[in-house]
């Protein structure tokens, strides 16, 4: 039984069109590798001076890069390795099992490809389990995955809250906003697998996008493929097995009135190797009002529900997300 989704059959027309025309959007473009700024969170437990310097580093990288990586983040190597091996086990299931809602999750947890794609640039050569935090732990014969995921999720959720509070504090706000509005019932985990892609120069693992949340925390294997925009250029992120990657989402950019940056990123495919990652998304409830913490505000106030709806409408109409520019004052 094949574990890979039927990409080639399903998207044959798009892929055939692609080979006739241009020869791939990434051909001939050399993307330089970069090391993301590295922050040792152990410094938060040291003397006051070092602690404050660590906090201001977190804020600075969120302004300049919108991305950084953290070590001594409080999630044990053991949990991370177990999370990875359990995830690999799930993805080794035949495709038919995965697409039949393998777990007792709500419908639509398992996703692959891009149903709305009308061109190969919009196609994502990946599969994912998109799991609301309040559905972990779950049963259904995957108790080891369930308990590992629960450990991973609770520790990563604590880390996200800690970072969000630091970022708010650095803007001058002692804020409970994130604790009150980003609950486990509104946040989620996404386990990703990027299968090897035979037409890899023409297709993304995940098309360029920004995240529609406050913060994302990513644990990835050592295959690499994540790229981001810095100063108008794409850079490939060098994997660091010890670190977790943190990036700012659209909601934090709006909340901070453009101080922190939600940056375009993408995943490129690999012709030979599969890649695995797990992301945690810090999201508020749909009714949460997002308003800038400074005046004059760059963006109109909007609820998370309205924001998500706008993103979905744009993806349907245009094949891509527009995001924050839709909400400029």
């Amino acid at each position: 039984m094949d574990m890979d989704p039927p990409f080639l059959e399903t998207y044959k027309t798009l892929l055939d069109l692609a080979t006739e025309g241009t020869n791939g959007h990434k051909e001939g473009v050399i993307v330089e590798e970069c090391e993301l700024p590295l922050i040792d969170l152990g410094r938060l437990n040291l003397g006051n001076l070092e602690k404050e310097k660590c906090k201001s580093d977190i804020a600075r990288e969120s302004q300049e890069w919108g991305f950084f990586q953290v070590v001594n983040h409080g999630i044990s190597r053991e949990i991370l390795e177990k999370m990875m091996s359990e995830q690999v086990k799930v993805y080794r299931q035949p495709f038919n099992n995965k697409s039949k809602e393998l777990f007792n999750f709500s419908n639509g947890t398992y996703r692959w490809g891009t149903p709305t794609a009308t061109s190969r640039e919009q196609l994502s050569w990946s599969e994912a389990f998109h799991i609301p935090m309040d559905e972990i732990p779950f049963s259904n014969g995957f108790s080891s995955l369930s308990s590992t995921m629960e450990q991973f999720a609770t520790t990563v959720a604590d880390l996200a809250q800690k970072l969000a509070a630091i970022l708010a504090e650095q803007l001058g706000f002692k804020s409970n906003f994130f604790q009150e509005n980003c609950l486990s019932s509104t946040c989620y985990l996404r386990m990703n697998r990027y299968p090897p892609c035979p037409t890899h120069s023409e297709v993304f693992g995940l098309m360029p996008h920004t995240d529609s949340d406050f913060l994302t925390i990513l644990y990835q294997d050592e295959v690499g493929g994540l790229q981001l925009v810095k100063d108008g250029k794409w850079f490939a992120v060098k994997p660091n097995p010890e670190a977790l990657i943190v990036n700012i989402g659209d909601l934090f950019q709006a909340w901070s009135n453009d101080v922190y940056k939600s940056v375009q990123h993408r995943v490129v495919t690999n012709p030979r190797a599969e890649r695995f990652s797990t992301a945690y998304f810090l999201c508020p409830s749909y009714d949460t009002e997002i308003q800038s913490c400074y005046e004059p505000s760059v963006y109109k106030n909007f609820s998370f529900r309205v924001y998500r709806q706008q993103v979905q409408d744009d993806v349907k109409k245009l094949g891509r997300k527009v995001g924050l520019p839709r909400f400029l004052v």
Side-chain angles (χ1 to χ4, degrees):
M1 282 297 291
D2 196 0
M3 64 178 181
D4 286 349
F7 290 107
L8 287 170
E9 301 77 40
T10 310
Y11 296 109
K12 186 177 188 318
T13 325
L14 287 187
L15 296 166
D16 287 352
L17 276 176
T19 42
E20 286 166 22
T22 60
N23 77 341
H25 53 78
K26 299 196 288 292
E27 298 267 86
V29 179
I30 304 296
V31 175
E32 281 174 60
E33 194 171 55
C34 71
E35 299 221 15
L36 285 180
L38 183 70
I39 296 175
D40 179 352
L41 296 182
R43 293 159 58 203
L44 293 171
N45 305 320
L46 299 174
N48 227 2
L49 200 66
E50 194 51 48
K51 180 176 167 178
E52 290 312 312
K53 185 163 179 336
C54 180
K55 289 178 177 181
S56 71
D57 286 350
I58 290 169
R60 189 186 66 239
E61 305 310 357
S62 299
Q63 286 175 49
E64 291 178 11
W65 283 79
F67 264 83
F68 55 93
Q69 46 185 351
V70 293
V71 291
N72 289 322
H73 39 63
I75 295 126
S76 73
R77 185 85 201 150
E78 186 191 5
I79 290 179
L80 293 177
E81 283 172 359
K82 195 145 188 340
M83 184 68 217
M84 190 59 76
S85 65
E86 289 296 333
Q87 179 176 354
V88 170
K89 253 190 262 177
V90 170
Y91 278 116
R92 290 280 172 271
Q93 302 277 327
F95 169 69
N96 285 342
N97 289 13
K98 289 183 283 198
S99 56
K100 278 196 197 97
E101 297 301 337
L102 202 54
F103 312 101
N104 295 337
F105 293 138
S106 52
N107 229 346
T109 299
Y110 176 69
R111 304 163 181 196
W112 64 277
T114 314
T116 53
T118 53
S119 70
R120 62 146 196 269
E121 287 81 13
Q122 295 169 6
L123 176 55
S124 290
W125 197 275
S126 51
E127 51 180 336
F129 285 98
H130 193 90
I131 305 161
M133 290 285 282
D134 57 0
E135 295 190 18
I136 309 167
F138 45 86
S139 54
N140 219 10
F142 286 89
S143 57
S144 179
L145 171 70
S146 172
S147 61
T148 304
M149 205 184 262
E150 191 180 15
Q151 283 178 295
F152 176 82
T154 47
T155 44
V156 173
D158 286 347
L159 175 61
Q161 285 287 353
K162 185 155 124 186
L163 292 170
I166 288 170
L167 287 166
E169 186 190 308
Q170 293 295 304
L171 292 174
F173 294 88
K174 275 268 184 258
S175 177
N176 296 332
F177 177 85
F178 301 99
Q179 269 167 329
E180 285 163 13
N181 293 288
C182 302
L183 310 169
S184 78
S185 56
T186 62
C187 300
Y188 58 91
L189 271 190
R190 188 179 165 111
M191 295 192 296
N192 304 298
R193 174 178 176 259
Y194 301 89
C197 176
T199 60
H200 81 287
S201 69
E202 288 153 6
V203 176
F204 289 115
L206 203 53
M207 66 186 273
H209 65 287
T210 57
D211 290 351
S212 303
D213 62 354
F214 277 109
L215 274 184
T216 306
I217 298 181
L218 181 80
Y219 170 53
Q220 60 167 354
D221 64 17
E222 292 174 58
V223 172
L226 177 64
Q227 301 185 346
L228 59 92
V229 174
K230 170 90 167 91
D231 304 325
K233 263 176 65 179
W234 284 101
F235 286 93
V237 174
K238 190 172 187 214
N240 175 344
E242 299 300 315
L244 294 173
I245 291 176
V246 180
N247 67 281
I248 298 293
D250 300 343
L251 303 185
F252 228 137
Q253 178 167 326
W255 194 83
S256 70
N257 215 26
D258 272 356
V259 175
Y260 301 139
K261 299 289 184 280
S262 178
V263 169
Q264 284 263 338
H265 52 287
R266 66 188 183 192
V267 176
V268 295
T269 47
N270 188 304
R272 286 171 299 280
E274 59 183 350
R275 172 179 180 262
F276 292 94
S277 68
T278 300
Y280 170 83
F281 297 90
L282 183 70
C283 296
S285 67
Y286 288 162
D287 295 327
T288 304
E289 270 297 293
I290 309 297
Q291 56 185 60
S292 299
C293 57
Y294 293 128
E295 295 293 332
S297 170
V298 179
Y299 302 101
K300 295 178 246 195
N301 291 0
F302 56 85
S303 72
F304 185 40
R305 174 179 280 107
V306 166
Y307 191 75
R308 276 181 52 105
Q309 192 55 54
Q310 183 66 60
V311 168
Q312 286 163 2
D313 293 349
D314 285 331
V315 168
K316 270 202 198 84
K317 262 205 299 276
L318 311 168
R320 65 186 173 81
K321 164 184 166 177
V322 177
L324 285 177
R326 285 267 188 243
F327 294 88
L328 288 165
V329 167

